[in-house]
Amino acid sequence: MAPRSALRSRGLVLGALTAALTAAFTPAPPLTESTPTPLPRTGFETSHGARWTSEAEESAFLATVARASDRVRVDRIGTTAQGRPLRLVRIGAPAPARHDGAPRGTSVLLICSQHGDEPAGREACLATVRDLAYATDPATRRFLSRTGVLVVPTANPDGRAADTRGNADGSDINRDHLALATPEARAMAAVLRDHHPGTVYDLHEYSPTAPYYVKDLLSLWPRNLNTAERVRRESAALADDFVTPAARRAGFSTGVYGIWTDPVTGAPVRQVAGDGQERILRNTAGIKGAVALLVETRVDPLTDAEKTDPARTNRRRVTSQLAALKGLFTFLDRHRGRIAAATAAARTAALADRGPVHLGGADNDPPAPDRVLTRPPRAYRLDAAQFARVRPVLAAHGVTWLRDPGGGATVPLRQPLRPLIPLLLDARADYHLVAGRPVGE
């Protein structure tokens, strides 16, 4: 007999999310006088996958869900350059920060469609919001009583409206999680700062390169070497032990994002993406002490039927994302204690202010010796002009500082975001914002 915890997890993934796995394939039945009020459906679902949910449909859908469920709250967390809202949906148990800034409870953040031309993750997120909001099965209710599910359903509304990778200014938001130059990245940084999610899950799509890069669903953990080791291990476990098996059980092939593999032997051939850049969300989240994972769905038609009917391709793209989400929710339920321990250990290590800081490299690409601060400075001193320039960014990340009499500031490393600070302020870092003066190196 399976352990009771395993049975509860199966109940969770087979209960609340089963509807989302089939909704896109099932036309709405005709209404009769005896038909109960149907659950809200997205534009994608009502069109049977023929088109993606519009901005207006998303707004109406979320408003309906929030009105119907007391476990859902929708907040506006920002505004794009073209005036579109950036929304955060909160479901289940709240997980506010304690007075000392440490997280309380278990929470997960879903970031959907940072790239506007990758809409399948957004559709999966919207369907998941609805199914968690309306779930009545005991396993899901128990899960939500102990877990805060945070969802940014459309992280790039202007790009989604234009069907472009970048935002209205052409910026790639997923290369802006360090500098926070875009309103979209600033909004997401504020969610990380204010809610301290223990897990960050980033939904994307990719175009394959046959025959080396053709899996239905790819995933990748934080490769940045400033990610605490226990956080990296839990991130890899999320990919290898939960998301990958869940996708395979649903009939999808899986692989590691950014790695071409030999079609016969499966051996790695070449790395084409997925490095340790600190400005990419999965890496930034890992550096900040959160378990993190990137998931990518294959976008091209796979069969003759999909080639003649794009809606089939669209449904398969969304269904593969939903299958992976089942793995995520099972992970959250089974690894609740391990996630909390890993994130707490990362915070403790940062506050101890010991150990190297890596300015380059990745977990599969050792850095050159001159890219490692073996004895990092105790602080960085900023003059008045430097501080004026970076103060909003430091505040958005949650970095603290001490004001100097002349209008500048000193930023100590002994704080929860210690691994991030040199990447922002050290002249030797690839994407530094200003060249602060090291103190006590």
Side-chain angles (χ1 to χ4, degrees), residues 11-102:
L12 167 68
V13 297
L14 292 177
L17 298 182
T18 297
L21 282 166
T22 58
F25 294 90
T26 308
L31 297 178
T32 68
E33 290 185 0
S34 61
T35 302
T37 302
L39 299 181
R41 304 183 77 196
T42 65
F44 176 82
E45 292 169 337
T46 58
S47 71
H48 203 41
R51 61 179 180 81
W52 306 107
T53 302
S54 71
E55 178 189 351
E57 286 171 330
E58 175 188 313
S59 179
F61 175 86
L62 292 177
T64 299
V65 171
R67 283 195 302 269
S69 176
D70 59 5
R71 67 179 70 149
V72 176
R73 175 173 172 173
V74 180
D75 295 313
R76 185 167 183 155
I77 56 172
T79 303
T80 69
Q82 294 181 345
R84 293 185 173 90
L86 291 156
R87 297 185 179 95
L88 174 68
V89 183
R90 292 189 275 171
I91 313 166
R98 297 199 316 237
H99 70 279
D100 61 355

Side-chain angles (χ1 to χ4, degrees), residues 148-332:
V149 181
L150 311 171
V151 185
V152 178
T154 309
N156 182 4
D158 291 349
R160 175 80 290 273
D163 196 30
T164 57
R165 177 181 176 89
N167 67 0
D169 299 324
S171 297
D172 186 333
I173 297 167
N174 204 27
R175 300 298 183 273
D176 188 37
H177 292 288
L178 194 73
L180 307 182
T182 62
E184 296 88 355
R186 289 195 294 274
M188 285 180 268
V191 174
L192 291 173
R193 179 197 64 204
D194 297 340
H195 294 273
H196 300 278
T199 303
V200 177
Y201 188 86
D202 190 19
L203 295 83
H204 286 257
E205 298 192 82
Y206 87 103
S207 297
T209 303
Y212 303 107
Y213 201 40
V214 293
K215 303 299 185 182
D216 298 326
L217 187 133
L218 305 173
S219 60
L220 187 62
W221 53 92
R223 288 199 180 276
N224 189 282
L225 293 172
N226 296 299
T227 302
E229 183 55 36
R230 292 178 69 173
V231 168
R232 185 176 7 253
R233 286 203 305 266
E234 286 303 310
S235 301
L238 169 57
D240 296 340
D241 301 337
F242 291 90
V243 166
T244 291
R248 288 179 177 172
R249 284 193 296 270
F252 298 106
S253 59
T254 62
V256 176
Y257 177 73
I259 304 294
W260 285 6
T261 57
D262 185 283
V264 177
T265 67
V269 172
R270 177 185 173 192
Q271 181 168 336
V272 296
D275 62 6
Q277 282 188 52
E278 56 264 34
R279 58 185 185 161
I280 297 172
L281 179 61
R282 63 181 164 80
N283 285 319
T284 307
I287 293 166
K288 291 182 174 182
V291 174
L293 195 69
L294 166 80
V295 173
E296 300 257 357
T297 300
R298 180 176 175 176
V299 302
D300 62 318
L302 304 183
T303 65
D304 289 340
E306 286 192 1
K307 291 176 182 177
T308 58
D309 182 7
R312 287 179 176 266
T313 306
N314 296 342
R315 294 196 297 266
R316 187 254 307 157
R317 290 158 61 181
V318 174
T319 303
S320 63
Q321 289 281 9
L322 286 165
L325 280 167
K326 291 175 71 174
L328 167 68
F329 283 100
T330 304
F331 167 79
L332 295 170

Side-chain angles (χ1 to χ4, degrees), residues 300-392:
D300 62 318
L302 304 183
T303 65
D304 289 340
E306 286 192 1
K307 291 176 182 177
T308 58
D309 182 7
R312 287 179 176 266
T313 306
N314 296 342
R315 294 196 297 266
R316 187 254 307 157
R317 290 158 61 181
V318 174
T319 303
S320 63
Q321 289 281 9
L322 286 165
L325 280 167
K326 291 175 71 174
L328 167 68
F329 283 100
T330 304
F331 167 79
L332 295 170
D333 212 29
R334 295 186 186 177
H335 279 223
R336 188 179 305 275
R338 291 172 58 169
I339 297 167
T343 56
R347 177 182 174 82
T348 299
L351 292 173
D353 195 17
R354 292 194 298 268
V357 173
H358 298 86
L359 303 180
D363 65 359
N364 62 346
D365 181 21
D370 65 352
R371 304 301 294 153
V372 181
L373 302 180
T374 56
R375 297 182 61 186
R378 295 168 56 189
Y380 289 90
R381 186 157 291 149
L382 308 177
D383 63 31
Q386 291 174 323
F387 181 56
R389 177 180 171 188
V390 301
R391 179 176 181 173

